[in-house]
Structures are given as C-alpha cells and as structure tokens.
Amino acid sequence: PAIWVITVDAQTGDILHRYNNFQTIDAQGVGVLGDTKKFQVSNGAGGFVMQDASLGVTLRTFSAKQKEAARGTIVASNSATSWDTGTAGKGAAVDAHFNAGVVFDFYKKVLNRSALDGKGTAMLSTVHYGQGMDNAFWDGQRMAYGDGSQLFKPLAQSLDVVGHEFTHGVTENESGLVYQTQSGALNESVSDIFGSIIEHYLTPDDAKNMVLGEDIGLSGPLRDMKNPGAGSQPAHMSKLVKTSQDNGGVHT
C-alpha cells in the first residue's frame, strides 16, 4: 500500500521527486502472558483498528467474541496503547496480531515469499473463537484461535502455533497433499517444522524451540520435535499409527 506524492517536471514529464505518504501508527498492547508487544495499526472509527498495512501485505485481526463466527469484527480501541482488555482470553488479539507479523516477516526476509500464497494476499486472524475452544485452525482463508479452557491457555499466544497454522496456508498453495493418512501427516509435519523455525527466527533457543506449544499447554507441550516419543508420538515408521480417527491420524 502506498500514497505516492510525486513532483513532476511540467515541461519534460520527468519525475523529480517522490515519497510514500502512507502513514501507519505505532501501537503497543499487553499479551496473554502480561508481556508488552509493539505493532502497527490503522485509524478507524472512533480510534484505531488492528490493521497493519505497512508491510506491502495487509494484516488484520478480528474477534469472534466467543462465537463461532465466520470472521468476526475487526479488533478496535480508542487508545493505541490499550488493546483486547476483556476477561476471556485477555490479550489474545495482541499476540495474534504481533505473531502474524513475525510469520510474514520470516517468509518475506528469509524465503522472499510475499505472504501465504506468494502473491501478497492479506493475512487474517480471528481470536476468541468459540467458548473456551482448546484448538486453533486454518480454514483456507484465515487463522482462528480459541481461548483455551481444559488443555491450553489462549492459543494465539504461542508463536510456534501461529507459525504452524499459517504454514498450512503455504502448504495449501504449494502442494496437493491430501489431508488424510500419511499425506495429511506430512502436511502437519511441515507446519510443525516451520512453527519451530519461525519461533527460532525470533528468539533463538536450541532446546526450547524443539518443542511445540510449550508456553500454552496446561499439562505440557503439544509435541517434541527432538524426542517424539516424549509426547506419545511415533518416532519411527515401524510405529506407524493406523486409525480411522483424525482423518487417518494426521496428528500422529
């Protein structure tokens, strides 16, 4: 996005000078774990909205307000320094918006890829999906995060979970992996790997970043990439799980 202000020579038509007058707003908010994060927002009705158009790709963060809404309403605030301060999943929007920016940054700077489809399509996130949903998902157009209840804290807080789910969008655009049995498990594995890599890109830690969801699991991490057996996952093809559940065991 740009608002080009251009000075043109009236006689020759040559461009003498130009600059981008597209103005973004520095904002900050407190995430699920009480940490302060900085991010970009835009002007909105009565204040500001969680829309970052400073990257060449638009990032938008919505709230489903504890409903199973298709998208929800864009997260808004009358202050650039106070966001998502409600009770259920407090701060999840801050984490989702910030983490989506990290995912975009990784794919652009490390792999020279413009967003999930490589064409700069907007990256959309929806927080507070459903009532205490212990899950997050990619639905083909956007990311959605539950606030957790029995198993997890709000899932948007975890960068490797955010990286995992958005990478499903990359896989969807780059391969024909059918989401069943072994091809579906490969799909999930690619997301796990990139979730770890993206977390390591922001905060390098050879030990911590080998486990997924370590900061949101109420009874431990989701999976251990270095020692799969520690998370009750098969560590070798000899332990291949054959089941009719979970689309043929795509998560195992």
Side-chain angles (χ1 to χ4, degrees):
I3 302 173
W4 291 110
V5 178
I6 302 173
T7 304
V8 180
D9 187 308
Q11 293 184 330
T12 67
D14 292 339
I15 295 176
L16 303 178
H17 179 70
R18 71 173 185 169
Y19 69 94
N20 185 358
N21 197 37
F22 190 90
Q23 299 172 22
T24 57
I25 300 163
D26 291 326
Q28 67 179 39
V30 178
V32 170
L33 299 184
D35 56 326
T36 298
K37 291 181 167 71
K38 295 182 179 180
F39 44 87
Q40 295 288 309
V41 297
S42 301
N43 285 311
F48 311 96
V49 293
M50 273 193 172
Q51 173 175 285
D52 181 355
S54 68
L55 303 170
V57 169
T58 301
L59 308 182
R60 295 190 185 98
T61 302
F62 301 83
S63 173
K65 299 179 179 179
Q66 283 75 52
K67 299 178 181 178
E68 294 183 7
R71 179 179 292 182
T73 56
I74 195 161
V75 177
S77 176
N78 58 12
S79 168
T81 58
S82 179
W83 295 88
D84 197 23
T85 57
T87 53
K90 178 180 178 180
V94 171
D95 289 327
H97 198 65
F98 175 85
N99 286 339
V102 176
V103 173
F104 168 81
D105 200 52
F106 167 82
Y107 274 109
K108 184 64 177 177
K109 291 183 178 178
V110 178
L111 300 178
N112 195 30
R113 183 181 183 87
S114 181
L116 307 183
D117 59 357
K119 301 175 183 177
T121 298
M123 292 172 60
L124 311 178
S125 304
T126 295
V127 296
H128 308 312
Y129 186 91
Q131 298 252 346
M133 184 179 75
D134 272 315
N135 209 344
F137 63 84
W138 165 258
D139 71 356
Q141 295 182 319
R142 50 112 194 210
M143 263 305 310
Y145 306 94
D147 287 327
S149 56
Q150 303 299 313
L151 302 176
F152 303 109
K153 300 173 186 177
L155 284 93
Q157 190 278 325
S158 181
L159 176 57
D160 51 15
V161 169
V162 174
H164 170 109
E165 298 297 349
F166 268 126
T167 298
H168 278 310
V170 177
T171 300
E172 183 176 289
N173 281 281
E174 289 297 333
S175 79
L177 287 172
V178 177
Y179 199 63
Q180 289 183 317
T181 60
Q182 291 188 55
S183 63
L186 284 171
N187 188 325
E188 286 292 338
S189 180
V190 169
S191 281
D192 275 356
I193 291 165
F194 274 91
S196 288
I197 291 172
I198 292 168
E199 185 178 48
H200 198 72
Y201 166 75
L202 182 68
T203 53
D205 187 322
D206 290 346
K208 177 177 178 290
N209 295 333
M210 290 299 288
V211 291
L212 295 172
E214 69 282 355
D215 44 4
I216 60 166
L218 296 179
S219 58
L222 284 165
R223 287 180 286 282
D224 188 326
M225 301 290 284
K226 189 172 184 178
N227 182 15
S232 301
Q233 293 285 332
H236 190 272
M237 279 297 292
S238 63
K239 298 180 180 180
L240 176 68
V241 174
K242 296 182 179 180
T243 176
S244 60
Q245 298 180 339
D246 188 28
N247 278 13
V250 296
H251 289 94
T252 47

